Every structure is written in structure tokens, then in C-alpha cells.
Amino acid sequence: MERPPLGTLAGVLNRALVDRVSQKIDEAGGEVSRPSHLYVLRALGAGEASVTRLADLCEVTKQAISQVLDAFESDRLVSRKPDPRDGRSKIVVLTKRGERALAEAVLAWSEVEREWADLLGGQEEMHRVREAMFAFAARYGDYHLGDQQPRMRPVW
């Protein structure tokens, strides 16, 4: 095979992007750089969420999310509080430290996107690639422009 299929290439690209973001965060001395943790952090970026909602957004089990949240709680990145609507459920919120970790991740993503745009030949080309990706996802996937919390299985 001369070239991998587009789906394989998209998966490889996703992994390369996430690994590069992790590297950038490590270089900056950031709090959270494990790829799986970055996905959970992103899911919390829009505000508080239940453990069930986080598991759904990351397309993993509640047990898997709970393990990440236990680590986050140990590092004082999140806190869990009872859900006022359902006493059996917990709501997860970022602490100030968690908000800083999220800001570090957003900055790292911006830097990596600039690197990718440079490889493409500039921001205009990057915009065209991004628009094509959006169009395909809107037509055949479950992500649409304006969605605040897309579901996305982490690179574990």
C-alpha cells in the first residue's frame, strides 16, 4: 500500500496532535499532559458535569472516568459535590488549579495548531482543511458547528 487510507491517517494525525500537545505542556511544566486526562479536562471546560456525562462525552465507562477523576482529585484539579437533582450522583467541577491546567492545555493546542498551519502553508490553508473537516463531520458524524461538547473517545 503506497499510502494509508484516510481513516488511518486521521487516526494517526489525531494521535500525533495529542502527543505534541502533551509534549508542549510537559515542556512548559504544566499540570496535565497525559492524553486521556486532556480529554477529560476538555470535557470539563464548559463547566460542571456529572460522572455519567463525562463518561458519555469521552465514550468510556463510568469506572474509567472515575479513575481519572480520582487522580485529578488527588492533584486538586477537580472537586466532586452532590448533585442537587439526584442524591446518588456527583457533579464534577474544576478547581482554580484545574482551570489553570485547562488554560495551559488550550495554549498548547493553539501552539500545535499554528505548527500544523505552518506545515500546510499558512492560516488560509488551515482554514480550508478545518472547513472540510467540519463539513464531513456535519454530514456523516454526530458533530455540528456550534456543538459545545462533542463526544470523542480519548487516546488512552
Side-chain angles (χ1 to χ4, degrees):
M1 183 181 332
E2 288 182 34
R3 324 181 283 202
L6 186 58
T8 300
L9 191 55
V12 170
L13 174 62
N14 180 58
R15 182 60 194 239
L17 289 168
V18 171
D19 287 349
R20 184 68 176 134
V21 166
S22 295
Q23 182 182 19
K24 289 275 193 188
I25 293 170
D26 280 342
E27 289 170 358
E31 291 279 338
V32 177
S33 63
R34 286 188 59 195
S36 61
H37 292 188
L38 290 170
Y39 285 88
V40 178
L41 196 61
R42 176 196 57 87
L44 284 166
E48 65 183 34
S50 69
V51 173
T52 302
R53 176 74 176 138
L54 290 172
D56 180 54
L57 287 171
C58 291
E59 297 183 336
V60 298
T61 65
K62 288 191 286 187
Q63 292 81 6
I65 285 295
S66 292
Q67 287 178 349
V68 173
L69 293 176
D70 288 345
F72 276 13
E73 208 163 33
S74 297
D75 292 338
R76 298 178 320 226
L77 298 169
V78 300
S79 63
R80 294 183 241 199
K81 60 184 182 181
D83 185 338
R85 298 168 302 249
D86 179 357
R88 300 167 296 163
S89 184
K90 297 280 186 192
I91 297 293
V92 182
V93 295
L94 289 172
T95 62
K96 291 291 183 200
R97 188 173 180 164
E99 290 171 356
R100 281 193 305 276
L102 177 59
E104 292 164 353
V106 168
L107 178 62
W109 270 115
S110 296
E111 292 172 4
V112 170
E113 285 190 16
R114 272 193 299 279
E115 290 175 346
W116 196 35
D118 290 345
L119 285 173
L120 290 171
Q123 288 298 323
E124 189 174 314
E125 287 78 7
M126 180 70 157
H127 179 72
R128 278 198 289 277
V129 168
R130 186 184 298 274
E131 289 301 310
M133 292 167 72
F134 278 136
F136 194 90
R139 181 176 291 175
Y140 301 109
D142 66 354
Y143 180 73
H144 303 282
L145 284 174
D147 286 354
Q148 294 298 310
Q149 289 286 6
R151 293 174 54 219
M152 192 163 147
R153 186 172 187 80
V155 177
W156 293 95

